Amino acid sequence: MFNCKPSVLSLALAAAGVGFALSSDIALAADGINTEKTQVANAVENETNVDNAAANTSSNNITAEDDIEVIRVTGYSRSLIDSLNSKRYGDTVSEQLSADDLGALPDVSMADALTRLPGISAVRTGGQAAEINIRGMSGGFVFSTLNGREQVSTSGSRSIEFDQYPSELISSAAVYKSPKASLIEGGVAGTVELTTVSPLSKDKQHNFTANVRGMYNDRADEVYGAEEFGSRLSFSYQGKFLEDTLGVAVGYARLEQPSVATQFIGLAYNDSKDVDGIDGDINGPEDNPANEYISEGFEVQHLGGVETRNGYMAAIEWAPVDNFVLKADAFMSRFDSESFARGFRTKFGGSSASVSNPTYDGNSVVGGTFNRTSKSFTRVEIVNDDNQDFDEVDSFGINADWQVTERLNMIVDVSLSAAKSDFRNGLLWSNVAVDANADAPIFDENVSISYLLNGLDLPDVGFNQADAFSDIDRVMVSKYGIYPFENEDEVKAYRVDFTYELDNDFISSVEFGARYSDRTYSNDRSVFEYGNDGAFSKSEPPLKLTEDMTAVVDWEGDFSYFPSYLAIDLDKALNAWFPDGTPDPVQTWGNAAGVIDPQGYTTNYSWSVLQSGDVYEEVLSGYVMANIDTEIGGLPITGNFGVRVVNTDQSATMLQNVEADPTLGAQNITDEIGIINQNYAPTVQGVDYTDYLPSINLNFKVTDGSQVRFAAAKVMSRPPINRLAGDISASVSDDGEINGSSTNNPFLMPFYANQYDLSYEYYFDEGAIVAAVFYKDIDSFIDTIAIENFDFKGNGFNVPDYIIDEDSGEQIETTNGTYTTAVNNAEGGYIRGLELAYTQVFASLPAGWSGLGFNASYSYTESEVQSITNLGGDTATQDLPGLSNNVVSATLFYSYEGFETRISGRYRDEFVSEQVAINEQVVNFDGETVIDYQASYQVTDGLGVLFQVNNLTDEPTKSYFGTENKTGTIQYFGREYYLGFTYAM
């Protein structure tokens, strides 16, 4: 601190609550820090919207006649201070991002922006952050709101895909790590609250901002057919009219970016074979301990395509009188992705393949030569996949804020959040023929595949058919499949909240209210298949390729040693194969058991019907909360305590196989094309439950610059909504064993946790230091478990006592086998950790250095919760999905006379998440460090130019199955370069 008369640096810091006065009436667009003489009134007039009481208290001893020096902070420095102010005066343990913070960093989405906060990390998909993890817990435990309203997702679960939200259209964000009774329940990990602009709250009468940026991916030239260039465009306007009683805001943001990746994908170890031939070997699977685990195979792919996101925001705010504000707002996002995946896929061929020269990791084969036999399906497929994903997110709301009396305030809110996702997975497989020009081409069964995994590096591979992969005289298209996955999610909500101010030395006010929501989720599957991927079909023969529909593709860079392959023009191939047009996918039984007339289908497609269904969820909640503002022994204490009561009524549609027994409810169920199945009984089943969620938040102001927070609460997260959709089945094998499954379960209960937070926050003239510890005691998690010797008949399944052997005609008594289902495992555990954060803007340095600053955070998280995985063959333990023991984020920044630059890094060590490109397969991910760089220059007060590099070191994503020797995914995305302009007026 300066040893001079009260400077504006110290006075303004006191006024703002941290260390800087931000003069709104003469803000300079990007001057890092400026000084000039002015009246003290300007020192406390800032745009941080800090609690007025804090500003007034801090300036009691300052007279308007004193001429003092004003320190004004703009750009990135200002955004940090705004964020610290919001954190300091918040009533819960939280992290904040200010509007300037989001506007200053050109984050592709809110997922990128949120990862700069302590204890928060992201899972990268295609190089872009999408799902966020909070305090070592995955996105399914994160509850999200927009303008205080529950948001649904296009993910098909409750996990919000934050890449749907353009950072340009969000004015602020908060992550609540400790709840309070007035917050909507649902986040065991935390609650993310996004906010769009409130036009009447802006100081300026009119605000207009435009942003144009071009982008380039430096790995796109390695991928045949990939786009190298993309663009970002956004603009926003906020204006006030009718003597500041009417506010209007509109915004638009468009992102068009190339989707580029080159990847190796190891497939799970889902089969076994006695490879080593050692007598007495008992380390293998339970059903055959002498066997070794073998992988399904691997894939090597080029990924390319374009992602296009259009975001729209609008708000209108009306304040006809001083005590009433009516606001309507809307947010819409359209995220379309059209991409391809090309390369080849190997299938080792299962237990019937011939294996030589094996290499082992434990009891799992990680190298060797696999040769096709007459009984195996060993092969190499040339892959030309076509994926389309069309996502829609809509959020609409009307909010009325009425100050009924001087003490009583009432807020009424009505909202709708809706999401739609239409993902179409199109797969075009080709196989090698002996001679593609023959009148009746023959599948080449002379297949030999050699490989050796190298852990987190690319493997060694060899193929006896390598030359054929790029030869149109050998390669033929053998199968085409389309597998749409469509889901819709919608929640309607109605909410009323009251606040009553008290004249009390302990309780400053009481808040109470109620909320009702009605949520509907639907999932629809369908299918179209033609041909055969394991051989050549006689009834649906393979397609002969021509030169005009193919191109030979070579691998480059790290992948350059892999054999070339044929890229196939999908439209030309399909037009040749289906001259009358490609048939549309349908939801059908096919020739499933119970079908009366399969109408020519020879394949069981009952999964497309059984995996489709609806989920219904009605929630009625109420709360009461007291806000604390008192002193005990001269120690100021603020905070709140209260309880939230929540009643949930959840149910789902189900089809139960009752073997056509009408007494058990069997009905004729017709699919989309008229095929009737008589085996199933449709039902709607579910559960109703009530929860009581108490919470307390206390903030002890130890000194003017330091405070201690304590929070405790019971929290809940409902199960993934897609896991509530029921699907029950049971079948009897030829030897009489009954096996069944219900991978989902409408009776699943929420995750519950008791959590505790303790933090120390120290604010000084130029920044802050924060240290926090937390502990969560979680009751249970959802597991998909296999229950051996399950009593099917005793649990209501309609199963026979015996079956008739088709060959001998004898009766075979049925026996109970395995039932696989989703359950709350009642085996929870703790999650605990610490978080450290440090921010400093060195404003007191000499002029040339006064724009230097640094902020960093570190979190350590550990948990006793572990799960068992056998994806790598040998049974291994896995940590809780989303948990990295160590997460570090840091930014070094500098500004001077209109120039600003910063470099940011984010590191997270090993964690568990879903494998890239493989749905619902949870694997271990290696640690990663992602570095971004940005520089900008303010040419005039309104015009600025910006340059940025994302993923500066081209950091890949790498994963593995249990041990690093069993490679999962190795994926490279490339660096992204941005160059653009901003204009504000």
Side-chain angles (χ1 to χ4, degrees):
M1 187 176 294
F2 296 122
N3 293 318
C4 59
K5 74 168 186 165
S7 72
V8 176
L9 180 60
S10 56
L11 294 175
L13 282 178
V18 235
F20 296 99
L22 308 177
S23 178
S24 64
D25 56 329
I26 47 175
L28 297 180
D31 288 353
I33 300 175
N34 245 343
T35 63
E36 70 174 59
K37 299 289 183 178
T38 188
Q39 297 295 323
V40 70
N42 288 336
V44 298
E45 204 174 294
N46 58 76
E47 292 183 2
T48 55
N49 295 322
V50 181
D51 188 290
N52 288 333
N56 293 335
T57 302
S58 302
S59 58
N60 281 342
N61 297 323
I62 307 173
T63 63
E65 289 76 16
D66 290 333
D67 285 342
I68 57 178
E69 188 179 42
V70 175
I71 303 294
R72 285 175 306 150
V73 183
T74 61
Y76 187 70
S77 301
R78 167 178 170 169
S79 68
L80 288 176
I81 300 308
D82 285 353
S83 299
L84 286 177
N85 277 326
S86 299
K87 177 181 179 68
R88 182 176 187 178
Y89 293 104
D91 58 355
T92 67
V93 178
S94 65
E95 307 295 341
Q96 308 281 338
L97 285 172
S98 75
D100 277 13
D101 197 9
L102 300 177
L105 265 183
D107 301 296
V108 172
S109 70
M110 286 306 303
D112 292 294
L114 290 167
T115 57
R116 293 186 277 110
L117 297 174
I120 299 176
S121 53
V123 178
R124 293 189 296 164
T125 301
Q128 303 294 338
E131 175 189 300
I132 67 168
N133 305 151
I134 298 179
R135 287 182 164 177
M137 302 191 74
S138 61
F141 298 97
V142 177
F143 187 77
S144 302
T145 65
L146 178 66
N147 295 326
R149 300 159 184 147
E150 179 181 5
Q151 294 297 286
V152 296
S153 174
T154 59
S155 66
S157 64
R158 296 188 195 271
S159 177
I160 296 296
E161 295 182 318
F162 285 96
D163 55 354
Q164 287 276 3
Y165 297 85
S167 60
E168 300 96 327
L169 301 184
I170 303 297
S171 65
S172 64
V175 177
Y176 295 101
K177 296 177 178 177
S178 69
K180 55 183 177 180
S182 60
L183 283 177
I184 304 174
E185 74 288 340
V188 167
T191 295
V192 176
E193 184 175 78
L194 307 179
T195 306
T196 57
V197 71
S198 173
L200 286 181
S201 68
K202 306 296 288 187
D203 286 338
K204 292 177 63 177
Q205 202 71 17
H206 300 280
N207 294 271
F208 175 81
T209 303
N211 187 324
V212 179
R213 294 177 190 141
M215 69 166 295
Y216 166 74
N217 185 293
D218 69 356
R219 272 192 180 263
D221 61 355
E222 298 180 3
V223 178
Y224 171 77
E227 297 288 337
E228 296 181 72
F229 298 97
S231 62
R232 293 180 64 186
L233 168 70
S234 69
F235 71 83
S236 62
Y237 167 77
Q238 299 98 38
K240 295 190 292 185
F241 306 90
L242 302 179
E243 297 181 343
D244 294 350
T245 62
L246 180 67
V248 176
V250 292
Y252 169 72
R254 178 177 175 83
L255 168 70
E256 189 169 346
Q257 67 178 4
S259 173
V260 177
T262 307
Q263 63 187 23
F264 170 86
I265 301 173
L267 303 179
Y269 291 70
N270 53 13
D271 214 330
S272 68
K273 177 183 177 66
D274 187 4
V275 178
D276 61 15
I278 299 175
D279 293 335
D281 186 357
I282 58 172
N283 295 319
E286 289 185 9
D287 57 348
N288 200 331
N291 283 3
E292 282 69 49
Y293 299 99
I294 55 177
S295 167
E296 182 182 344
F298 61 83
E299 302 176 1
V300 186
Q301 295 179 340
H302 281 134
L303 275 64
V306 176
E307 296 175 343
T308 304
R309 182 189 63 202
N310 288 286
Y312 310 86
M313 178 275 298
I316 184 168
E317 200 168 14
W318 182 47
V321 291
D322 291 342
N323 66 336
F324 180 79
V325 178
L326 181 66
K327 181 182 178 183
D329 57 79
F331 173 86
M332 296 184 294
S333 176
R334 301 292 181 265
F335 201 151
D336 299 336
S337 173
E338 299 190 46
S339 61
F340 60 79
R342 301 187 184 125
F344 48 84
R345 176 188 297 116
T346 70
K347 292 298 185 79
F348 288 154
S351 59
S352 297
S354 170
V355 184
S356 61
N357 302 316
T359 301
Y360 304 98
D361 177 66
N363 208 45
S364 301
V365 178
V366 296
T369 299
F370 283 74
N371 296 299
R372 185 179 178 109
T373 67
S374 59
K375 295 182 179 180
S376 76
F377 51 86
T378 310
R379 64 188 184 274
V380 179
E381 301 168 349
I382 309 303
V383 175
N384 284 265
D385 293 351
D386 170 48
N387 297 321
Q388 301 178 359
D389 195 359
F390 305 103
D391 293 342
E392 301 179 9
V393 172
D394 295 320
S395 182
F396 306 101
I398 298 177
N399 183 281
D401 188 332
W402 180 26
Q403 191 67 37
V404 184
T405 69
E406 289 186 358
R407 294 183 179 272
L408 179 64
N409 179 265
M410 180 175 73
I411 299 176
V412 177
D413 192 273
V414 179
S415 65
L416 168 68
S417 176
K420 295 181 181 180
S421 177
D422 182 0
F423 175 70
R424 296 171 65 88
N425 184 206
L427 306 179
L428 188 73
W429 290 282
S430 302
N431 280 300
V432 176
V434 174
D435 181 2
N437 299 307
D439 292 337
I442 300 173
F443 186 94
D444 185 358
E445 297 188 352
N446 180 22
V447 183
S448 181
I449 304 167
S450 298
Y451 83 108
L452 177 63
L453 296 182
N454 291 319
L456 298 180
D457 294 320
L458 293 173
D460 300 321
V461 296
F463 308 92
N464 72 319
Q465 296 177 325
D467 292 339
F469 298 164
S470 56
D471 186 352
I472 62 171
D473 293 327
R474 298 288 303 280
V475 174
M476 302 189 74
V477 177
S478 59
K479 183 173 180 179
Y480 180 62
I482 313 175
Y483 307 91
F485 191 119
E486 302 174 62
N487 63 70
E488 297 187 17
D489 203 350
E490 179 181 281
V491 60
K492 301 174 183 176
Y494 310 87
R495 179 174 177 173
V496 59
D497 297 273
F498 298 90
T499 302
Y500 189 77
E501 302 290 338
L502 299 176
D503 185 9
N504 188 295
D505 292 336
F506 183 74
I507 304 297
S508 61
S509 63
V510 175
E511 298 181 36
F512 54 96
R515 177 180 180 270
Y516 170 77
S517 66
D518 185 0
R519 184 169 184 171
T520 304
Y521 169 85
S522 67
N523 177 46
D524 286 294
R525 299 301 312 273
S526 52
V527 59
F528 168 73
E529 288 183 338
Y530 186 89
N532 190 339
D533 62 332
F536 290 157
S537 171
K538 294 182 178 179
S539 59
E540 298 169 339
L543 172 69
K544 174 70 172 73
L545 293 169
T546 57
E547 290 187 2
D548 67 314
M549 64 176 69
T550 61
V552 176
V553 177
D554 299 322
W555 299 88
E556 298 184 25
D558 298 331
F559 291 74
S560 60
Y561 64 93
F562 287 101
S564 302
Y565 66 92
L566 286 180
I568 300 172
D569 186 306
L570 180 67
D571 293 333
K572 290 182 178 179
L574 293 181
N575 288 336
W577 218 4
F578 306 102
D580 297 327
T582 307
D584 290 326
V586 293
Q587 187 177 113
T588 181
W589 294 106
N591 73 337
V595 164
I596 297 174
D597 175 14
Q599 299 184 17
Y601 277 88
T602 59
T603 302
N604 178 355
Y605 290 123
S606 60
W607 61 265
S608 68
V609 180
L610 298 176
Q611 292 181 18
S612 303
D614 300 316
V615 177
Y616 311 100
E617 183 178 89
E618 294 185 41
V619 178
L620 177 63
S621 59
Y623 75 94
V624 60
M625 182 177 76
N627 293 309
I628 303 169
D629 189 356
T630 188
E631 283 192 13
I632 297 179
L635 180 67
I637 303 174
T638 57
N640 55 70
F641 64 92
V643 63
R644 189 173 188 90
V645 182
V646 186
N647 176 259
T648 304
D649 184 357
Q650 70 186 33
S651 58
T653 59
M654 304 179 68
L655 291 176
Q656 182 174 357
N657 189 344
V658 294
E659 299 293 340
D661 187 343
T663 64
L664 296 176
Q667 298 182 15
N668 288 340
I669 300 176
T670 306
D671 66 19
E672 290 183 349
I673 58 176
I675 296 178
I676 298 172
N677 192 311
Q678 57 186 356
N679 274 4
Y680 290 84
T683 64
V684 177
Q685 299 188 31
V687 65
D688 184 296
Y689 54 91
T690 300
D691 296 301
Y692 299 87
L693 307 174
S695 62
I696 184 170
N697 291 273
L698 297 175
N699 184 18
F700 304 91
K701 188 174 182 181
V702 181
T703 67
D704 287 344
S706 63
Q707 55 193 29
V708 174
R709 293 185 188 271
F710 171 76
K714 181 179 180 181
V715 293
M716 64 177 286
S717 286
R718 294 185 178 87
I721 198 161
N722 57 313
R723 297 301 302 273
L724 300 178
D727 57 335
I728 295 177
S729 65
S731 60
V732 184
S733 63
D734 292 340
D735 60 1
E737 184 176 75
I738 306 169
N739 292 287
S741 69
S742 175
T743 53
N744 300 330
N745 187 346
F747 303 103
L748 288 173
M749 298 296 287
F751 308 90
Y752 297 103
N754 295 312
Q755 67 175 42
Y756 308 91
D757 290 85
L758 181 65
S759 64
Y760 172 76
E761 302 169 8
Y762 174 62
Y763 299 88
F764 52 94
D765 279 2
E766 297 179 337
I769 297 174
V770 178
V773 293
F774 65 90
Y775 182 90
K776 296 177 185 286
D777 183 14
I778 299 178
D779 287 349
S780 68
F781 291 92
I782 293 175
D783 269 348
T784 299
I785 65 172
I787 304 173
E788 304 290 344
N789 196 29
F790 182 78
D791 184 0
F792 284 89
K793 179 163 287 190
N795 282 279
F797 284 80
N798 181 38
V799 292
D801 294 322
Y802 61 87
I803 62 171
I804 303 297
D805 185 274
E806 294 182 359
D807 295 329
S808 66
E810 297 180 355
Q811 290 186 359
I812 300 176
E813 185 177 351
T814 58
T815 58
N816 288 322
T818 302
Y819 181 55
T820 304
T821 187
V823 298
N824 294 91
N825 61 16
E827 296 179 2
Y830 67 76
I831 300 175
R832 63 191 180 192
L834 64 89
E835 296 169 348
L836 303 173
Y838 166 62
T839 299
Q840 182 152 8
V841 180
F842 299 98
S844 58
L845 292 177
W849 296 98
S850 59
L852 184 66
F854 179 74
N855 75 299
S857 67
Y858 166 76
S859 65
Y860 175 80
T861 309
E862 64 177 20
S863 174
E864 66 177 347
V865 178
Q866 290 190 320
S867 60
I868 301 297
T869 179
N870 56 10
L871 293 177
D874 296 311
T875 299
T877 59
Q878 281 183 333
D879 288 332
L880 185 67
L883 188 146
S884 287
N885 290 126
N886 299 282
V887 176
V888 180
S889 174
T891 299
L892 178 66
F893 55 93
Y894 175 74
S895 60
Y896 182 70
E897 294 186 351
F899 173 75
E900 185 168 272
T901 185
R902 58 184 168 271
I903 187 166
S904 302
R906 301 187 298 272
Y907 166 77
R908 67 181 303 184
D909 61 10
E910 297 86 353
F911 64 102
V912 171
S913 188
E914 288 190 359
Q915 186 182 4
V916 172
I918 306 293
N919 292 331
E920 299 180 1
Q921 188 162 286
V922 176
V923 299
N924 301 83
F925 278 72
D926 190 35
E928 59 183 26
T929 301
V930 180
I931 299 175
D932 302 326
Y933 172 75
Q934 180 192 333
S936 63
Y937 180 69
Q938 201 69 24
V939 181
T940 68
D941 286 350
L943 179 64
V945 61
L946 176 142
F947 172 73
Q948 182 187 5
V949 185
N950 286 349
N951 195 20
L952 186 64
T953 59
D954 193 14
E955 181 79 348
T957 288
K958 298 182 178 183
S959 67
Y960 52 92
F961 298 108
T963 66
E964 291 186 2
N965 290 329
K966 287 171 282 194
T967 315
T969 297
I970 300 175
Q971 186 182 61
Y972 289 87
F973 326 103
R975 301 172 185 83
E976 293 179 335
Y977 297 85
Y978 292 85
L979 179 64
F981 301 89
T982 60
Y983 182 75
M985 59 178 293

